[in-house]
Amino acid sequence: METLERFAISYEMRHFAEVKWARKAERWSVTFYLPGERVGTAEVTRVIPGVTPNPREALELDPGLLDRIPRVVFTESGDLTTSVAELHPTLLLLLESVEVKAKWRGTGVGMGLAVTALRRLAVPGTVAICYPAPIHDHGPDERCSFTSEDPEVRRPDEEAMAKLRRAWERHGFAPIGDGVYARRIAP
């Protein structure tokens, strides 16, 4: 297996001319590479507490893959919930998704690269937030229909979520409510 030092990470942020933040979220696209091979991607939403106008409203209008994270992190008025405010964040990085090609899944490479990417986007006092769950083409309340040629990979979402949560905990993330995890990240 390749070591993480051999991977390259590129970052891209798009913003919209003449659009207020209340209408669009600030999203960073992160791409993971090896020489000649695109390994995977991550999407990260950046929020500056007290500066970004009502982030919960913005993320309801432009949710991306964020479903429960905004409800756990922000009150309806856009303030931080108690569990997040206690962390005293200067910046929030909401990890929307991490996806790597099939040959890299289950190896920890995607998670390791995502944590590295979050560190590079961080400033002192940054709190990273994630919802450890597998990404499939079904809704959050629909039964998982994911199948694999490998019979050992056919497990329900609940088992996969438990495994992902334990893995994120090994990276220092802790639950803050409703399956959402947070960690203070130093750049």
Side-chain angles (χ1 to χ4, degrees), residues 145-183:
S145 61
F146 175 74
T147 59
S148 169
E149 293 176 17
D150 180 352
E152 294 299 314
V153 178
R154 295 178 193 202
R155 45 185 184 269
D157 274 354
E158 295 79 23
E159 183 179 333
M161 287 174 68
K163 185 176 180 181
L164 283 168
R165 287 175 178 165
R166 286 190 303 271
W168 282 102
E169 287 169 359
R170 285 192 298 274
H171 281 279
F173 284 77
I176 58 170
D178 201 19
V180 174
Y181 281 58
R183 175 193 163 182

Side-chain angles (χ1 to χ4, degrees):
M1 171 182 291
E2 300 283 338
T3 62
L4 286 181
E5 301 90 53
R6 297 187 181 213
F7 288 90
I9 302 175
S10 71
Y11 302 83
E12 177 183 345
M13 194 279 281
R14 296 168 304 284
H15 64 90
F16 303 87
E18 299 183 29
V19 174
K20 294 182 181 176
W21 210 99
R23 297 268 176 227
K24 294 286 181 182
E26 181 182 323
R27 290 213 166 74
W28 288 75
S29 295
V30 183
T31 306
F32 311 127
Y33 295 95
L34 279 172
E37 179 184 3
R38 183 177 172 177
V39 174
T41 60
E43 292 291 322
V44 178
T45 297
R46 183 177 177 261
V47 175
I48 303 171
V51 175
T52 304
N54 197 335
R56 182 164 170 175
E57 181 180 301
L59 294 170
E60 286 173 357
L61 293 170
D62 182 22
L65 291 176
L66 294 172
D67 178 33
R68 72 183 62 217
I69 290 176
R71 295 188 312 257
V72 172
V73 174
F74 307 107
T75 64
E76 287 196 29
S77 64
D79 295 326
L80 296 174
T81 59
T82 304
S83 61
V84 178
E86 291 172 350
L87 299 172
H88 306 288
T90 57
L91 176 69
L92 293 170
L93 296 175
L94 312 178
L95 182 61
E96 283 191 44
S97 65
V98 178
E99 195 164 2
V100 293
K101 288 184 176 180
K103 80 177 199 176
W104 296 101
R105 290 186 191 141
T107 64
V109 165
M111 187 174 302
L113 290 169
V115 170
T116 300
L118 290 168
R119 282 191 188 121
R120 292 294 268 167
L121 291 172
V123 298
T126 297
V127 172
I129 311 276
C130 69
Y131 174 64
I135 297 175
H136 299 302
D137 294 329
H138 63 74
D141 297 325
E142 297 173 24
R143 184 146 178 81
C144 180
S145 61
F146 175 74
T147 59
S148 169
E149 293 176 17
D150 180 352
E152 294 299 314
V153 178
R154 295 178 193 202
R155 45 185 184 269
D157 274 354
E158 295 79 23
E159 183 179 333
M161 287 174 68
K163 185 176 180 181
L164 283 168
R165 287 175 178 165
R166 286 190 303 271
W168 282 102
E169 287 169 359
R170 285 192 298 274
H171 281 279
F173 284 77
I176 58 170
D178 201 19
V180 174
Y181 281 58
R183 175 193 163 182
R184 184 173 279 289
I185 292 224

